Amino acid sequence: MLDRDSCIQPPPESDFDRDVFLAAVRSGNIDRIRLASRRLMSRTASPSRTARFIRGTIQKNNGFELKRFRLALLSSFTIEIIDDHLFAHGCTEGLYVDIYQPGFDQYFQEILNPESGLYSFAPDAIVLAIDGIRWAPDLYDRFLSETQSGNDSLVDSTVSRITTLVTELRRRTNAVLMLHSLSYPRYPSLGILDINHSQGQRETILRINQGLADMARVLGGVYLIDMDALIQTIGHDKWYDPRLDFFARLPIGRSAIDGLARYYLRFLRALSGYSRKCVIVDLDNTLWGGILGEAGPKGIQLGSEYPGNAYVAFQRALLGLRNRGILLAIASKNNVHEVHDVFAGNGAMILTLEHFSAREIHWRPKSESVACIAKSLNLDPRHLVFIDDNPAECAEVEQAYPEVTVIALPKQPEGFINALLADGLFDTLAFSNEDMRRTELYEQREAAEELRTQSSSLDDYYRSLEMRVHLDSVNSGNVARAAQLTVKTNQFNATTKRYSEADIRVRCGNEMWIGLTMRVVDTFGDNGIVGLMLAERKDDVYEIDTFLLSCRVINRTAESVMLHWLASKARALGLVAIEGSIMPTDRNVPVRDLYQRHGFNVVKSSVEKTLWRLDLAEGNITLPSWFEIIDETTPQ
């Protein structure tokens, strides 16, 4: 039984939030632990002590069922004090962050030695936190004396040296690599002239970072951490601590460590498939100032003067999220016709009703609206963000759905954008054509569902869709989308294995592996790439490693097309069977009967997974007649 004596004590000012956290831990409910951790870390005045308290409590209670994430930190400076922060912020996302650190300045040895602890640790991700001065001392300490004749060679040699090390790292592990970019010195050698000088430090650093970005795109699975952006957000005075740097080789101030951990978390969240996909917004005192029912469509605060211009700016920020693939929805207690009057008649509105993929405008509880929106968009509540200015409404949604991320807006509208974007909840590590068209794709799905209700039978419905399926091998043109699907897809995902682009490239570059993507076009438009299958040949069997479909085409029998293709491929190669596993999660119920429906038999079963097998001499997978198949795969 958990008690107060079993944990490290947090700061006294957080007694209430601490008690809520301890109650969540006692309950064992992961979503409530996530919520309580987030409250503690967002409200505390002592993040180091609070992070230590969270870590100590979770570890003393065996970590519950938090998802394990193995992170290696290779640094040129002392960074151990970030461990508690990383662990605590990981808890806010349901992650148990296991951290490997070999000590500062050990990165060369760790990367070049195949027997090092780094590789035996088998990390999911690696942070290469190397100061620019370590990569290029001439650029920082001896800039004017070493670069008077130009700095082209300095740029080339620095990028080449880092690329060589990173390439070696990529050769030995498929872990995702997060690489610190070079940061601009606080006091440039040329002072105020530096930004204007073509050979100044800023220009040189920009060129090096551009070279590193180009390298990352070529290698895949490598992502730059924009250190200048992070330092500017935190502030130079808080970021740098010269005393700690000279005394303990720790150049980052203690007050900035929590900000660095939060920035790392943005990558861990995206890698774990926990990026948010939809923003649900209130209307009154959220999209505009004032109460619509009292002020009327023309009397609300919205326009070019404060506070109306702050609400306009917030609408632009929401539109920016929509343009990068985040869905928008409304949950408002209002009269529908009055809301329509605002959107139709107020010229200061940036957003239109058509920008919102779901709209719940009535007088019922907000938690009911959230449930309806999640159902209509076929999204797990885990991927929703609910925003409201009313603390009572926020508490009601939080109590009903602790898995939903709830943002209580500050009192002043100029703080809304920061409240929405500061935590990077919507960050992803890929951006595809499907992201740009996400709202359009949801509209197509809704139109298809409407057609389903009007059809006399499922067969008639399938045929009326006039579906054309484009099959293609995984290649450079679709590998980013393939990796994105493994991260984002939870419902129709047989094994829920998360892969980076580099992971998939390695597999599909091996002749024993095949990768297949599926694009579905129907009478309502192009749904984009919605299916992925990865399979490995083992002796005379194809073993399916990954099988998934986007929710946009679930219940259309499109999965039969991919299985039929694989069975045909296996027969042509003289193989005797195909096998696949179902690894059950609390979210992948729709895929559980995939293999059973297609004539596979159980080989062995456990709590963790069930292995299914189709003997090709005895079984066959029928290709549905309502599909037109366009096979564009590359023969292997």
Side-chain angles (χ1 to χ4, degrees):
M1 177 65 104
L2 180 74
D3 57 41
R4 293 172 187 249
D5 295 331
S6 70
C7 17
I8 299 171
Q9 291 300 302
E13 72 268 18
S14 60
D15 279 351
F16 175 76
D17 288 331
R18 175 198 59 188
D19 290 341
V20 171
F21 174 77
L22 293 176
V25 171
R26 282 193 294 269
S27 75
N29 184 293
I30 299 301
D31 288 319
R32 296 204 176 278
I33 291 172
R34 286 179 50 244
L35 174 59
S37 300
R38 186 166 189 251
R39 282 177 172 170
L40 271 174
M41 291 305 293
S42 63
R43 299 176 182 178
T44 182
S46 305
S48 294
R49 290 182 61 191
T50 300
R52 190 161 57 250
F53 161 66
I54 291 174
R55 188 183 189 189
T57 303
I58 295 295
Q59 289 184 335
K60 285 177 182 292
N61 289 274
N62 301 317
F64 303 99
E65 296 300 323
L66 295 173
K67 178 180 178 181
R68 298 274 168 160
F69 192 102
R70 295 183 302 279
L71 179 68
L73 286 174
L74 306 182
S75 66
S76 60
F77 52 86
T78 303
I79 198 175
E80 285 82 355
I81 63 172
I82 202 174
D83 290 9
D84 291 335
H85 298 260
L86 271 173
F87 188 96
H89 286 299
C91 287
T92 69
E93 291 294 335
L95 297 174
Y96 188 107
V97 182
D98 277 332
I99 301 172
Y100 172 77
Q101 289 181 340
F104 73 86
D105 257 358
Q106 298 297 307
Y107 56 96
F108 267 107
Q109 298 92 313
E110 290 287 318
I111 292 173
L112 298 179
N113 179 10
E115 305 299 323
S116 70
L118 170 67
Y119 299 116
S120 61
F121 179 66
D124 298 304
I126 300 169
V127 175
L128 200 52
I130 314 301
D131 276 338
I133 196 170
R134 292 291 181 211
W135 292 126
D138 291 349
L139 177 56
Y140 290 88
D141 282 350
R142 303 183 291 273
F143 183 68
L144 291 180
S145 61
E146 298 290 340
T147 62
Q148 292 178 359
S149 61
N151 52 29
D152 289 351
S153 61
L154 176 60
V155 171
D156 293 341
S157 64
T158 303
V159 172
S160 176
R161 198 172 337 113
I162 299 174
T163 299
T164 299
L165 194 64
V166 170
T167 301
E168 182 65 19
L169 187 59
R170 299 304 303 144
R171 189 175 70 84
R172 298 183 185 275
T173 175
N174 290 329
V176 169
L177 177 61
M178 298 147 59
L179 173 66
H180 280 211
S181 67
L182 274 65
S183 60
Y184 189 54
R186 190 178 188 187
Y187 303 110
S189 298
L190 291 173
I192 60 174
L193 176 63
D194 186 81
I195 194 172
N196 299 285
H197 200 290
S198 63
Q199 298 292 325
Q201 284 170 292
R202 178 179 291 277
E203 178 66 23
T204 306
I205 289 170
L206 284 173
R207 290 173 59 194
I208 291 173
N209 284 335
Q210 184 58 58
L212 296 179
D214 293 340
M215 173 267 293
R217 282 188 288 271
V218 170
L219 292 180
V222 181
Y223 300 95
L224 254 62
I225 296 176
D226 190 342
M227 295 306 295
D228 272 333
L230 176 59
I231 294 168
Q232 289 171 19
T233 299
I234 292 174
H236 280 81
D237 289 340
K238 291 183 178 180
W239 180 263
Y240 293 107
D241 191 323
R243 183 175 184 276
L244 277 177
D245 190 11
F246 288 120
F247 182 74
R249 292 291 300 275
L250 176 57
I252 303 173
R254 290 185 180 276
S255 62
I257 286 293
D258 194 65
L260 179 60
R262 288 174 182 269
Y263 207 77
Y264 286 165
L265 179 70
R266 295 168 71 164
F267 287 85
L268 306 193
R269 180 190 296 119
L271 288 168
S272 302
Y274 293 157
S275 298
R276 309 310 192 261
K277 300 178 181 180
C278 175
V279 184
I280 304 173
V281 295
D282 180 36
L283 296 178
D284 292 338
N285 289 315
T286 300
L287 287 196
W288 54 71
I291 307 298
L292 177 58
E294 299 173 359
K298 300 293 186 181
I300 57 175
Q301 296 171 324
L302 199 68
S304 59
E305 302 297 328
Y306 183 83
N309 52 3
Y311 291 102
V312 169
F314 185 56
Q315 289 194 30
R316 290 191 188 280
L318 288 168
L319 183 59
L321 285 179
R322 182 183 182 274
N323 289 340
R324 63 190 254 201
I326 306 303
L327 300 176
L328 303 183
I330 293 173
S332 173
K333 290 182 178 179
N334 255 308
N335 293 321
V336 175
H337 69 276
E338 292 179 329
V339 171
H340 282 226
D341 287 344
V342 173
F343 279 93
N346 193 309
M349 288 289 294
I350 301 298
L351 295 169
T352 68
L353 280 175
E354 288 68 34
H355 286 135
F356 295 90
S357 299
R359 300 186 286 271
E360 292 291 323
I361 305 169
H362 45 64
W363 296 95
R364 297 190 295 277
K366 292 289 181 76
S367 60
E368 183 178 325
S369 294
V370 169
C372 291
I373 289 168
K375 182 178 181 180
S376 68
L377 297 179
N378 197 24
L379 289 176
D380 191 290
R382 183 77 167 74
H383 294 114
L384 303 179
V385 173
F386 173 81
I387 295 179
D388 204 298
D389 68 294
N390 188 330
E393 301 285 16
C394 291
E396 191 260 335
V397 171
E398 235 172 25
Q399 180 63 31
Y401 298 104
E403 59 267 51
V404 173
T405 301
V406 175
I407 297 177
L409 291 173
K411 291 183 179 180
Q412 303 302 324
E414 59 268 28
F416 287 7
I417 294 176
N418 187 67
L420 174 67
L421 300 179
D423 288 338
L425 294 169
F426 310 99
D427 286 343
T428 61
L429 295 179
F431 185 67
S432 64
N433 180 60
E434 283 79 5
D435 291 316
M436 297 180 65
R437 299 177 55 235
R438 190 167 305 280
T439 302
E440 174 192 343
L441 295 172
Y442 269 87
E443 290 172 353
Q444 290 175 196
R445 186 174 70 87
E446 290 178 6
E449 288 301 309
E450 178 64 24
L451 180 61
R452 180 196 291 267
T453 64
Q454 299 172 3
S455 301
S456 57
S457 69
L458 275 178
D459 283 12
D460 288 342
Y461 166 65
Y462 293 144
R463 289 190 170 85
S464 66
L465 285 173
E466 300 178 0
M467 290 181 285
R468 299 185 303 283
V469 174
H470 296 256
L471 301 176
D472 199 0
S473 304
V474 173
N475 54 55
S476 59
N478 58 35
V479 66
R481 174 60 177 167
Q484 185 184 56
L485 280 171
T486 70
V487 172
K488 288 190 171 186
T489 308
N490 295 300
Q491 295 183 59
F492 205 99
N493 192 334
T495 56
T496 59
K497 294 180 180 180
R498 313 299 188 186
Y499 288 138
S500 68
E501 290 182 42
D503 294 329
I504 296 177
R505 281 196 180 101
V506 167
R507 284 162 175 77
C508 293
N510 186 324
E511 62 180 10
M512 302 306 288
W513 281 77
I514 54 173
L516 180 75
T517 64
M518 178 173 66
R519 182 166 62 93
V520 177
V521 181
D522 60 33
T523 190
F524 297 105
D526 189 340
N527 292 278
I529 296 174
V530 291
L532 173 69
M533 179 173 61
L534 302 175
E536 181 182 12
R537 180 175 177 175
K538 294 184 176 179
D539 297 325
D540 55 0
V541 174
Y542 259 138
E543 185 177 297
I544 298 173
D545 172 88
T546 296
F547 194 103
L548 59 82
L549 289 177
S550 166
C551 62
R552 292 198 293 273
V553 294
I554 289 178
N555 297 324
R556 292 197 190 182
T557 72
E559 61 273 19
S560 298
V561 177
M562 291 201 294
L563 287 176
H564 178 272
W565 181 90
L566 183 64
S568 299
K569 178 77 171 177
R571 283 195 179 91
L573 293 173
L575 307 189
V576 301
I578 56 177
E579 294 180 349
S581 295
I582 299 292
M583 298 180 180
T585 70
D586 56 354
R587 295 181 173 92
N588 72 350
V589 174
V591 79
R592 300 277 181 84
D593 65 347
L594 168 67
Y595 297 122
Q596 182 182 12
R597 285 190 289 108
H598 290 89
F600 287 62
N601 296 307
V602 175
V603 175
K604 56 183 177 181
S605 182
S606 66
V607 175
E608 289 77 20
K609 72 175 182 178
T610 301
L611 178 63
W612 296 81
R613 179 184 176 101
L614 179 70
D615 291 312
L616 297 174
E618 302 172 3
N620 190 31
I621 296 174
T622 303
L623 187 64
S625 61
W626 37 80
F627 289 110
E628 177 187 350
I629 311 299
I630 298 100
D631 190 340
E632 301 168 330
T633 57
T634 302
Q636 286 183 290

